[in-house]
Amino acid sequence: MNEQGLREQLRRWREAGLLSSLDLHFGLFVAEGSGSPELGLLAAVTSRQRGLGHVCLDPALPPGELPGLELEALWPAALEAGPPWVCTGGTDPPGPLVHDHGRLYLGRMHAAECALAERLGRWSTAPAGIPPERGLVDRLFPGRHPGAAGQRLAAVLAAIRPFTVITGGPGTGKTTTVVRVLALRLAARPELAIRLLAPTGKAAARLSESLRTSKAALGVDEALAGRIPDRVTTVHRFLGLGYGRPRFHRHHPAPVDLVVLDEASMIDLPTMHRLMEALPAHAALILLGDPDQLASVEAGSVLADLVAPARPEAFTAPTRTALERAGVPLPPPVVDAGPLDDTLARLAFSHRFSADRGIGLLARSVRDGTADWAALQRIAAEHEEIECVSWAGTQVPRTALEDLLAALDPGRHETVEAALDALGAARVLCALRGGAAGVDAFNAQIARRLGRDTRGTLHGLPVLVTRNAHALEVYNGDMGVLWEEPDTQGRRRLRACFPMPPAGVRRIPLAELPEHETAFALTVHKSQGSEYDRILLVLPPEPHPLVTRELIYTALTRARRFVRILATPACWEAGVRQRTRRASGLAVRLQGAAVSGGA
């Protein structure tokens, strides 16, 4: 390939929408600097991979949809090129590209993956702490209800380890468990500095509310319960991202002893790396999340990579001893248990969904890849909380929306407080943004039918903020309503209103409202961290790369009571079969870092 051939190939991909402008110019930059058009093409494809959520370019997971790409013929260019354009692992500073363990990385992505694995390796091989007093553990976990043993194990493990991942599906008690972790840690160290984090403002508000509810049912003395924090901050605000130089970083770590991060599946690799670097050496970290949900919008699938090499309830001897001293019943020991196994606790019993009924049954079947169209229809016929409506992908059947319209309309309520409370009643969740099955079409249709568009009244229109506004304390993912009410002079004004925990309302003039969109319907991605009583899940008529098993599972588990699915057999079955696979070396790198102790 010569330079002209490179330019023509990149131009064709760019015109087809397969490359971004950044991908194209990065490829040309590397080709010109290295003198290798082949390396330039690999550089453009590697940059494209990051935009698609991958950490690297892995020949074992070749990129699709690039006509004319012959990865095997190009790959020797990555092996033959040397510094400064292609470096190997361990080179400091890295070049624009790094070739390591058979994968090609952008330099910064490689540095983030290596640093994250190194820190986690040190954490996983650190000795277990002093186990909590057994009497306190018994008071915090007095019941013998299903799931109590798993929660007890997870809480004690997180109390003695510097790094713990607590996973589980919706309703398995992750928040209930972490409140008890905080109680155990604060009982041992009352002065402990704790920060609670979530990826979005919406997830932060939900965690904060759950923590307040769980604290009230702890059954410990008021002094201890009063020290348990319930104020949750977004990760970006905690680190100071978006303000220029971050507030906390490697050279200025945060004054904190313990960080709890909820909805960790939504955190991408660069953000997780920045969080790790901002923690002092002595700090502990607890991650909460469901690895079966959608991965982060940006590059990486950190939570899934962390869980992949670890086995629940396969603990090393020192950790088993500490758990048993705290009264945690354990299965027989696993002979080859390693340090990574000490980091994982998995909660399996759902208090929200029965595993053999309705939403729980369907979600589990989708997660396991066994929910074909016939199985979906059978579950819908046997369980009233599931409905299945087939469509051609053009005209939406009236029965799909008719009985949901009232629940979707906050404007039917008399007060703004009631309207904000009603935002959790129902939502339309779409896999796509555009097209007849997309968010834009459903929002327009619902707004028109309810008279909540520019031709009617905007009073009661639900809105979703899509850009952080730190000064106003509203953030990407926050949901509110447009509400008309008298101001202090008695004049009626339309303002944007958002819940302000624990029981207030934040009112913002429309002129100051940051970028936002109508929110009768949301993409499944933007629904993460939320719950609704009833949902309508809309899939496109034809199979689509974005419709995956993880997307369907995430959508189903947003519902508390009822799910209606609008889909075609072809798209449903293709989606259940299609798994999200992201190129990354983190899981393999973690195993090596754990063996070496992070060295």
Side-chain angles (χ1 to χ4, degrees):
M1 174 181 287
N2 56 27
E3 182 180 347
Q4 183 61 28
L6 168 70
R7 290 182 177 275
E8 289 179 1
Q9 182 71 286
L10 295 181
R11 178 184 55 78
R12 285 195 296 269
W13 287 344
R14 178 73 182 105
E15 289 177 351
L18 301 176
L19 290 183
S20 69
S21 179
L22 176 63
D23 302 333
L24 183 149
H25 288 292
F26 180 66
L28 294 176
F29 166 73
V30 171
E32 181 179 352
S34 66
S36 170
E38 291 82 5
L39 185 61
L41 199 62
L42 280 174
V45 175
T46 303
S47 176
R48 173 184 183 266
Q49 288 294 87
R50 179 184 176 175
L52 294 176
H54 301 282
V55 174
C56 56
L57 175 60
D58 187 345
L61 191 63
E65 300 182 1
L66 289 176
L69 175 66
E70 297 180 3
L71 198 56
E72 290 184 3
L74 292 172
W75 199 252
L79 302 177
E80 296 166 1
W85 296 99
V86 180
C87 299
T88 56
T91 305
D92 190 23
L97 296 167
V98 176
H99 183 262
D100 189 11
H101 287 82
R103 304 178 184 91
L104 193 62
Y105 294 80
L106 300 179
R108 294 185 68 178
M109 297 300 289
H110 181 265
E113 184 178 279
C114 289
L116 184 58
E118 188 271 338
R119 178 69 180 264
L120 292 170
R122 282 190 279 117
W123 262 332
S124 66
T125 55
I130 299 173
E133 189 266 317
R134 184 166 181 170
L136 177 58
V137 176
D138 290 339
R139 289 198 300 276
L140 290 170
F141 295 94
R144 297 185 178 275
H145 61 81
Q151 292 179 9
R152 182 181 184 122
L153 186 155
V156 175
L157 183 69
I160 63 174
R161 299 295 313 173
F163 173 68
T164 315
V165 181
I166 301 177
T167 70
T172 51
K174 295 187 292 292
T175 304
T176 299
T177 300
V178 85
V179 166
R180 285 153 176 78
V181 175
L182 300 180
L184 292 173
R185 284 187 171 264
L186 286 167
R189 287 185 57 193
E191 76 287 357
L192 201 69
I194 300 170
R195 293 301 297 265
L196 309 172
L197 306 179
T200 66
K202 180 168 51 179
R206 182 164 159 254
L207 176 60
S208 181
E209 181 182 353
S210 297
L211 289 170
R212 282 192 292 270
T213 302
S214 297
K215 276 173 38 174
L218 268 183
V220 297
D221 63 83
E222 291 184 8
L224 177 56
R227 290 199 300 270
I228 298 174
D230 55 31
R231 184 175 183 272
V232 185
T233 307
T234 65
V235 177
H236 282 69
R237 191 177 186 195
F238 168 68
L239 295 175
L241 302 180
Y243 296 97
R245 184 174 175 80
R247 180 185 301 114
F248 301 123
H249 45 81
R250 179 172 53 181
H251 303 294
H252 181 224
V256 65
D257 302 312
L258 171 65
V259 167
V260 177
L261 172 60
D262 194 23
E263 297 287 356
S265 64
M266 298 172 67
I267 300 295
D268 57 83
L269 176 69
T271 303
M272 186 67 81
H273 170 232
R274 285 181 160 182
L275 175 61
M276 295 284 188
E277 285 212 318
L279 301 184
H282 72 275
L285 176 65
I286 300 171
L287 302 182
L288 310 175
D290 184 352
D292 296 314
Q293 286 189 24
L294 282 166
S296 60
V297 175
E298 302 298 331
S301 51
V302 175
L303 183 65
D305 288 343
L306 294 177
V307 170
R311 296 166 296 177
E313 299 188 358
F315 303 114
T316 60
T319 297
R320 285 184 64 89
T321 300
L323 291 170
E324 288 170 342
R325 284 177 57 189
V328 176
L330 294 172
V334 176
V335 175
D336 61 344
L340 287 176
D341 298 320
D342 285 345
T343 66
L344 177 63
R346 181 170 290 149
L347 304 178
F349 183 83
S350 176
H351 299 269
R352 186 189 310 169
F353 305 131
S354 170
D356 57 359
R357 288 200 55 80
I359 297 172
L361 175 60
L362 181 58
R364 186 187 64 186
S365 300
V366 168
R367 184 195 64 195
D368 296 341
T370 59
D372 59 14
W373 185 255
L376 168 61
Q377 291 190 310
R378 184 175 62 253
I379 293 171
E382 294 174 355
H383 303 276
E384 61 182 10
E385 62 263 49
I386 303 290
E387 281 188 15
C388 176
V389 180
S390 182
W391 75 320
T394 51
Q395 186 68 31
V396 178
R398 290 190 67 85
T399 54
L401 268 177
E402 198 67 36
D403 63 335
L404 289 178
L405 287 175
L408 287 167
D409 182 16
R412 73 187 189 280
H413 295 279
E414 295 185 0
T415 66
V416 66
E417 289 83 3
L420 292 172
D421 286 343
L423 289 175
R427 199 66 45 202
V428 176
L429 303 184
C430 302
L432 308 180
R433 175 161 293 281
V439 163
D440 295 339
F442 271 82
N443 270 325
Q445 181 181 165
I446 295 168
R448 183 172 61 253
R449 293 179 67 175
L450 293 175
R452 299 283 187 268
D453 59 13
T454 53
R455 292 172 297 179
T457 173
L458 295 179
H459 173 79
L461 183 76
V463 293
L464 182 79
V465 174
T466 58
R467 185 171 182 177
N468 293 336
H470 301 283
L472 297 172
E473 296 189 57
V474 292
Y475 302 93
N476 182 19
D478 285 356
M479 186 177 288
V481 296
L482 302 188
W483 201 258
E484 188 178 72
E485 58 187 358
D487 61 14
T488 54
Q489 284 77 41
R491 294 172 295 187
R492 298 191 65 82
R493 294 188 182 276
L494 189 67
R495 291 178 290 192
C497 298
F498 297 86
M500 185 173 65
V505 176
R506 177 171 283 107
R507 292 169 168 84
I508 298 174
L510 289 190
E512 298 179 20
L513 182 63
E515 293 176 19
H516 60 280
E517 58 190 40
T518 301
F520 293 113
L522 304 176
T523 61
V524 176
H525 276 87
K526 290 192 175 183
S527 75
Q528 282 185 274
S530 299
E531 295 176 2
Y532 305 99
D533 291 335
R534 308 169 75 194
I535 68 163
L536 169 63
L537 170 60
V538 183
L539 301 182
E542 301 296 331
H544 192 282
L546 290 180
V547 181
T548 63
R549 185 182 303 180
E550 291 80 6
L551 180 138
I552 296 173
Y553 171 85
T554 300
L556 294 175
T557 53
R558 299 309 90 203
R560 300 186 189 99
R561 301 175 185 171
F562 176 81
V563 173
R564 178 176 293 143
I565 298 160
L566 186 61
T568 62
C571 185
W572 173 267
E573 293 196 344
V576 171
R577 288 194 303 268
Q578 181 167 274
R579 301 217 59 178
T580 300
R581 295 184 64 197
R582 289 194 166 178
S584 165
L586 182 58
V588 173
R589 206 178 297 277
L590 280 170
Q591 291 175 310
V595 170
S596 63

